[in-house]
Amino acid sequence: MVLAKRSAATQGTLRSWLLEGLQTDRRQIEHGPHVKHPWWQVMCLTGVDYFSTLGYQPGIAALAAGLLSPLATLFLVALTLLGALPVYRRVAVESPYGQGSIAMLEKLAPQWWGKLFVLVLLGFAATDFVITMTLSAADATAHILENPFVRGFLVGQRVPVTLVLLAMLGGVFLMGFTEAIGIATLLVFVYLGLNAVVVAAAILHVLEAPQVVVDWRHALSGGYSNPLAMIGLSLIVMPKLALGLSGFETGVAVMPVIKGDIQERIKGARRLLTTAALIMSVFLIFSSFVTTVLIPPREFREGGKASGRALAYLAHHYLGNWFGTAYDVSTIAILWFAGASAMAGLINLVPRYLPRYGMAPEWTGAVRPLVLVFSAIGFGITIIFRADVNAQGGAYATGVLVLILSAAVAVTLAATKKGRHRLAAGYAVIAAVLAYTLVANVIERPDGVKIASFFIGSIILTSLISRTTRSTELRVTQVHLDSLAEQFVNEVACGEIHVIANEPDKRDQAEYNEKLRETWLTHRLRPAEPALFVEVTVPDASEFETELHVKGEERYGHKILKIESSAVPNALAALLLHLRDRTGSVPHIYFHWTEGNPVAAWLRYLVFGGGDVPALTREVLRQAEPDRSRRPHVHVG
């Protein structure tokens, strides 16, 4: 039987519009949106983040590695193709419903520790996705302000322009998910096509003037003693280029949007990840090379014409201002919409965890309220950091690297558990490299951890507040009775139903006889009236919504209904409502008062699922059934 919860009221134009498509069924959330799309279109949605890093990645590489930029980029590409890609191809197999590596790691830590661990990882995911939106919008603003046709017109308006771009991004998602994918597909094809033209033109110029390569090689040999020194320094600076690893976690987070059954979804996600990684790797290798040999180093520095826009500099320089402006427009558009993949990741990831834990309101199952919340957070981040790309880069890289490292650890443990030790060893090597990259990045830019800590603290605090305020909800989705329990219910269905709540201890004959005698004396229940004992045990109090599986058992002539649940009062309330709906008779349940401080009892309920069971059972029933004539009767003595 499915217990019907009172759905959120949707009266009124604004409220119904905001809550349109509200999903409270966990299976529906796992299945994803009703409208599915081919894998290559979903790749474009995640690719607006991944591919858009071409707008600033070559400049970051040049600043970090100087003349070694092409070599450092090669190491980044190696880490992408030999590290992140195989890890996330495995994550796609292990987590086809879009939970990503977080779901894989959730199983390793039991009960509340597991929930806390997930909240921390969600904090890093929020850091990654939110900073993706704000950083990309800020970089789009930089491209707008640097364009020769608008330079001076918007001088000093960096923050307002960035806020407008974020508001436009939120507006697209308020219209709908399908519209977002359509825009992303168009932007990715145009942007990659223009980048191919710019890179090809730059390569042709290098071929026509090979002296630039000779000069670069002379500068390398003059600046570094031997190839080993170049390799060592490239490995040291490579973590600063970690922004180029973005997009993988989003790629698995949006798996439910891919068309097809589970196996087709997995195949599509693996194609998505592989295709995006190969395209990006080719562009990164060639773009880092041509920008290093063709652009004077001084232009990469802050205030230089290639600062944060190296390929745009080449587009203007070699193809003219009109083509350069077209390239700027495409870059601005994809950087603006790069936050779309992050927004898609958030609105697919959050409903899979926080509502299931009771750590978010049910309205988080709807897309539009989440879009408004994340847009508001993006506004705040932009104002705090004054739309400065460099100030947000540390937090972005930290979030990306933590998620990729967690994925590497998850697939390593999964392979070990399945006895595939060679595969596990390979994943362990990848995890070690990613751990080095993360540690080096944190040492270099500790502000990233500080920002991530703010997100983690905010998520944990709001989650605990939500869990507390929602603790007396019904929290049971379905009730299933086994054959013996069905028989017990059918035997008492013809008259009044009397249920005695028993906290199981020794479960011997004396325990049940004493409990029955206590009920006769305290509640004046006649011995001739049949009664069912009900016993609830709590294996994991950290779960929020559960299904009840009621098992019948007969001991010493007494009929007992046994239940496992995350909270005793909620399970009892759900059972009583099920018995009422099943038999048409409003049942009675009998308790004795709980001893102890009521505040301590409330805390025991929140943490361990027990507490002042009689009072809490009555409160859950009161909220679940407003009609007092249909509400099961609670007797306490």
Side-chain angles (χ1 to χ4, degrees):
M1 170 193 173
V2 177
L3 288 176
K5 292 185 177 183
R6 287 182 294 167
S7 58
T10 56
Q11 297 92 341
T13 304
L14 179 60
R15 185 175 180 85
S16 60
W17 177 77
L18 282 173
L19 297 180
E20 183 181 352
L22 177 66
Q23 299 177 342
T24 56
D25 184 353
R26 298 277 78 80
R27 291 188 179 90
Q28 184 184 8
I29 290 174
E30 288 181 351
H31 181 67
H34 295 292
V35 180
K36 309 292 184 178
H37 302 272
W39 68 267
W40 59 269
Q41 287 187 334
V42 181
M43 181 194 73
C44 292
L45 179 63
T46 62
V48 288
D49 170 24
Y50 193 27
F51 300 141
S52 70
T53 57
L54 286 170
Y56 49 81
Q57 180 75 15
I60 290 175
L63 283 176
L67 296 172
L68 294 173
S69 173
L71 185 56
T73 301
L74 277 176
F75 285 124
L76 177 67
V77 168
L79 182 60
T80 300
L81 298 179
L82 303 178
L85 178 59
V87 163
Y88 275 97
R89 281 173 61 88
R90 189 66 214 168
V91 171
V93 175
E94 298 285 345
S95 179
Y97 295 103
Q99 305 99 318
S101 58
I102 297 176
M104 297 174 66
L105 291 171
E106 178 188 12
K107 301 173 184 177
L108 301 177
Q111 303 188 8
W112 283 110
W113 288 112
K115 305 299 183 293
L116 183 61
F117 183 55
V118 168
L119 292 180
V120 171
L121 287 179
L122 285 176
F124 282 109
T127 304
D128 176 15
F129 293 149
V130 172
I131 298 296
T132 294
M133 293 190 293
T134 58
L135 182 145
S136 299
D139 200 53
T141 299
H143 279 74
I144 293 174
L145 300 183
E146 285 296 326
N147 186 274
F149 290 111
V150 299
R151 189 179 296 152
F153 173 65
L154 294 174
V155 68
Q157 302 301 314
R158 185 169 61 184
V159 172
V161 172
T162 305
L163 292 177
V164 169
L165 293 177
L166 287 172
M168 291 170 59
L169 175 66
V172 171
F173 274 87
L174 290 177
M175 287 191 297
F177 206 90
T178 300
E179 288 79 1
I181 288 185
I183 294 173
T185 303
L186 175 64
L187 290 178
V188 164
F189 274 90
V190 172
Y191 181 69
L192 291 181
L194 292 176
N195 269 282
V197 172
V198 173
V199 172
I203 292 173
L204 285 175
H205 184 79
V206 171
L207 294 175
E208 293 171 357
Q211 186 60 38
V212 294
V213 179
V214 176
D215 294 341
W216 173 60
R217 291 178 62 184
H218 286 162
L220 277 177
S221 59
Y224 303 96
S225 57
N226 55 66
L228 288 178
M230 297 180 192
I231 293 173
L233 288 172
S234 297
L235 287 172
I236 291 173
V237 300
M238 188 265 289
K240 298 180 181 180
L241 281 60
L243 297 180
L245 290 174
S246 63
F248 284 99
E249 188 73 26
T250 312
V252 294
V254 297
M255 281 182 67
V257 184
I258 298 175
K259 184 181 294 184
D261 58 21
I262 293 297
Q263 291 305 316
E264 290 174 341
R265 180 189 299 178
I266 292 172
K267 291 178 182 177
R270 289 162 71 95
R271 292 192 194 106
L272 178 160
L273 294 167
T274 303
T275 305
L278 290 173
I279 291 173
M280 190 63 176
S281 296
V282 171
F283 273 109
L284 283 176
I285 291 170
F286 284 106
S287 63
S288 66
F289 174 71
V290 296
T291 53
T292 301
V293 301
L294 293 177
I295 299 177
R298 65 179 182 277
E299 298 293 352
F300 289 111
R301 302 188 188 100
E302 187 173 356
K305 294 180 181 179
S307 176
R309 54 190 300 275
L311 289 176
Y313 175 93
L314 294 180
H316 283 274
H317 191 73
Y318 293 114
L319 297 168
N321 282 338
W322 284 106
F323 183 90
T325 298
Y327 181 83
D328 280 341
V329 171
S330 72
T331 304
I332 291 164
I334 198 167
L335 282 169
W336 157 65
F337 210 63
S341 66
M343 185 74 81
L346 285 167
I347 62 181
N348 275 284
L349 199 61
V350 168
R352 283 167 168 73
Y353 288 100
L354 296 185
R356 177 161 61 90
Y357 295 168
M359 293 179 173
E362 283 197 354
W363 55 257
T364 55
V367 170
R368 290 187 176 117
L370 287 178
V371 170
L372 293 176
V373 169
F374 295 133
S375 296
I377 294 173
F379 287 174
I381 294 292
T382 297
I383 294 171
I384 291 171
F385 289 98
R386 305 292 301 167
D388 188 337
V389 174
N390 293 327
Q392 301 174 68
Y396 183 38
T398 299
V400 169
L401 289 171
V402 167
L403 291 180
I404 296 180
L405 176 59
S406 69
V409 172
V411 296
T412 301
L413 295 174
T416 302
K417 188 176 181 180
K418 294 179 179 179
R420 305 177 67 180
H421 299 296
R422 290 186 179 180
L423 187 62
Y427 287 139
V429 172
I430 296 172
V433 174
L434 290 168
Y436 155 74
T437 308
L438 173 62
V439 172
N441 182 79
V442 170
I443 293 174
E444 177 74 19
R445 293 180 285 186
D447 54 306
V449 175
K450 296 176 184 177
I451 297 172
S453 298
F454 168 77
F455 276 100
I456 292 169
S458 299
I459 287 177
I460 290 176
L461 179 61
T462 55
S463 296
L464 292 179
I465 293 173
S466 176
R467 178 77 181 227
T468 302
T469 56
R470 296 187 61 194
S471 61
T472 52
E473 289 182 10
L474 189 57
R475 295 169 54 177
V476 173
T477 56
Q478 289 184 314
V479 178
H480 306 278
L481 275 65
D482 71 2
S483 57
L484 189 55
E486 291 268 9
Q487 178 185 325
F488 291 164
V489 172
N490 291 334
E491 289 174 357
V492 298
C494 56
E496 285 192 341
I497 300 175
H498 302 279
V499 179
I500 301 173
N502 180 52
E503 184 176 357
D505 187 14
K506 296 180 179 179
R507 305 192 77 229
D508 56 12
Q509 185 172 9
E511 178 180 333
Y512 293 108
N513 289 343
E514 178 60 28
K515 191 70 179 179
L516 189 58
R517 179 176 175 275
E518 174 190 297
T519 305
W520 288 343
L521 294 176
T522 305
H523 302 289
R524 298 295 188 263
L525 183 65
R526 295 187 298 273
E529 293 180 298
L532 297 173
F533 285 92
V534 60
E535 299 175 347
V536 182
T537 55
V538 182
D540 183 2
S542 66
E543 290 295 327
F544 191 73
E545 290 188 351
T546 57
E547 291 186 7
L548 292 190
H549 295 272
V550 184
K551 297 180 180 179
E553 182 182 0
E554 189 163 359
R555 294 177 68 86
Y556 311 109
H558 303 291
K559 296 178 175 63
I560 304 164
L561 301 178
K562 294 171 56 181
I563 304 172
E564 287 188 351
S565 176
S566 59
V568 177
N570 309 74
L572 293 174
L575 175 65
L576 294 171
L577 292 172
H578 176 78
L579 293 177
R580 179 203 65 187
D581 296 339
R582 173 71 179 275
T583 65
S585 176
V586 179
H588 299 253
I589 188 168
Y590 302 91
F591 296 96
H592 64 261
W593 283 114
T594 303
E595 299 291 335
N597 186 291
V599 176
W602 176 256
L603 292 176
R604 287 200 307 274
Y605 170 62
L606 292 177
V607 179
F608 302 112
D612 191 358
V613 174
L616 289 165
T617 302
R618 194 264 178 190
E619 179 59 21
V620 175
L621 288 169
R622 186 188 68 81
Q623 292 188 25
E625 178 52 78
D627 186 351
R628 297 180 65 177
S629 65
R630 288 177 46 79
R631 190 183 302 161
H633 305 290
V634 177
H635 305 269
V636 191

